Amino acid sequence: LCCGINPESLPLQCVLTGNWTNDLGSTMEIKAVNEEGSFNGTYNTSVSATSNKIVLSPLQGYQNCKKESSQPTFGFTVNWNFSDSITVFTGQCFVDKKGKEVLKTMWLLRSHVDNITDDWKATSVGTNIFTR
Ligand code: BTN
């Protein structure tokens, strides 16, 4: 059970497990969330800061289980298989007024630079909204 919570017993529970699409058209699959809140999955980005051929990349994260929240916070890292970058996402799983689950996230994309003098331009920030 995800964080020890049975979603069947809570009708307005936001569940991370499953397939999601964001506002850029990127898709991800989050596999089972275990008792400790830890999960993994795969990410297929629709865009890239590089010109490399995009391939499926692994993600690993945590849902916070401390409160048995029906709208939990979470974070995950995507380790891009086709570039030397890393993205971290953090967000919250909400149930909207129509009863639809939505992930409101912010991300930091760290690009690789060859020299410390280029560090200032190596991190970009943004938001993504995921729905099922
Ligand atoms: C790279 O360009 O080096 C890796 C791909 C980065 C894709 C970014 S991560 C944040 C934003 N949200 C997405 O779904 N894709 C882009």
Side-chain angles (χ1 to χ4, degrees), residues 22 24-27 43-50 52 54 78 80 82-87 89 107-111 127-128 130:
N22 74 17
L24 291 169
S26 299
T27 59
Y43 202 103
N44 197 3
T45 183
S46 61
V47 294
S48 175
T50 73
N52 303 344
I54 293 170
V78 186
W80 302 108
F82 59 90
S83 80
D84 41 20
S85 311
I86 285 273
T87 300
F89 286 84
W107 51 262
L108 293 171
L109 168 61
R110 175 66 194 205
S111 297
T127 60
N128 276 136
F130 294 80

Side-chain angles (χ1 to χ4, degrees), residues 1 6 14 23 35 47 49 63 66-68 73 77 95-96 100 102 104 113 117 124 128-129 132:
L1 287 186
N6 181 1
C14 192
D23 50 300
E35 190 84 22
V47 294
Q63 172 177 330
K66 266 165 223 86
K67 281 184 178 175
E68 283 202 9
T73 58
T77 301
V95 180
D96 75 9
K100 215 177 70 158
V102 53
K104 299 275 271 175
V113 288
T117 57
S124 52
N128 276 136
I129 300 170
R132 292 212 187 261

Side-chain angles (χ1 to χ4, degrees), residues 27-91:
T27 59
M28 67 172 171
E29 183 188 0
I30 295 181
K31 311 261 174 61
V33 181
N34 75 14
E35 190 84 22
E36 283 80 51
S38 128
F39 60 84
N40 54 49
T42 51
Y43 202 103
N44 197 3
T45 183
S46 61
V47 294
S48 175
T50 73
S51 53
N52 303 344
K53 184 182 156 19
I54 293 170
V55 298
L56 200 66
S57 298
L59 68 85
Q60 230 174 63
Y62 275 109
Q63 172 177 330
N64 188 301
C65 299
K66 266 165 223 86
K67 281 184 178 175
E68 283 202 9
S69 172
S70 61
Q71 299 191 110
T73 58
F74 63 89
F76 62 85
T77 301
V78 186
N79 187 13
W80 302 108
N81 270 338
F82 59 90
S83 80
D84 41 20
S85 311
I86 285 273
T87 300
V88 291
F89 286 84
T90 185

